[in-house]
Amino acid sequence: MPTKAPAKKAPSTTKSTRVSPSRTRARPRLAYLVGSLDRVLRRRMTEALTPVGLTLAQFTALSVLDARGEASNAQLAERSFITPQSANEVMSVMTERNWITREPDPNHGRIVVLRLTDDGRRVLRLGMEVVRTIEDQMVKDIEENDTTLVQNYLELFERNLRG
């Protein structure tokens, strides 16, 4: 008994049902979202830190010193996301306010070692409180495990891009 060949389909005469690109919204690229979040966070943190008497650069620098114990001006600039010239200005103001000390490195004559003072720790704690409020708002609808996962991925993204 011969087998029947499958019937060929006639070409479709109906128009495609694709949705016009102007009617759908593509999801933003991850890099765009990270950049947008960075801008929003910077603005919100700047606004929240102003009443405490801190700039965002000062808060970041104090946080770095708190975490590291001490740093050179160049190290602090890199970890605080500012230029060495800006770091010099930030450190001068923080030294005048007695938030940090500047001492010559005993092993290298051209390096100055920066350290946090008790006054610096006090103002940093105030800054941490306002920043924690912003972070809490940012993750308010996310489970704690998912927040940890997001943080882990962001750290991985940074490592991958730094090389």
Side-chain angles (χ1 to χ4, degrees), residues 20-34:
S20 166
S22 63
R23 289 191 209 159
T24 62
R25 289 188 69 179
R27 291 185 71 178
R29 298 195 56 85
L30 182 58
Y32 176 85
L33 288 172
V34 170

Side-chain angles (χ1 to χ4, degrees), residues 98-163:
N98 194 37
W99 294 348
I100 64 166
T101 61
R102 299 169 99 165
E103 300 169 14
D105 186 320
N107 302 316
H108 195 289
R110 295 182 62 195
I111 296 177
V112 174
V113 177
L114 308 167
R115 289 187 185 89
L116 203 54
T117 66
D118 289 340
D119 287 347
R121 281 184 190 79
R122 181 190 51 75
V123 74
L124 176 60
R125 277 194 304 276
L126 295 172
M128 290 289 207
E129 289 175 21
V130 298
V131 169
R132 192 171 296 114
T133 301
I134 294 168
E135 288 178 345
D136 288 347
Q137 181 184 3
M138 181 173 64
V139 299
K140 72 179 179 180
D141 296 326
I142 301 175
E143 296 291 326
E144 188 174 340
N145 288 343
D146 291 337
T147 301
T148 301
L149 182 64
V150 169
Q151 182 166 355
N152 291 342
Y153 276 125
L154 290 171
E155 290 170 358
L156 177 62
F157 296 163
E158 181 183 19
R159 280 193 310 272
N160 287 345
L161 290 176
R162 285 191 185 268

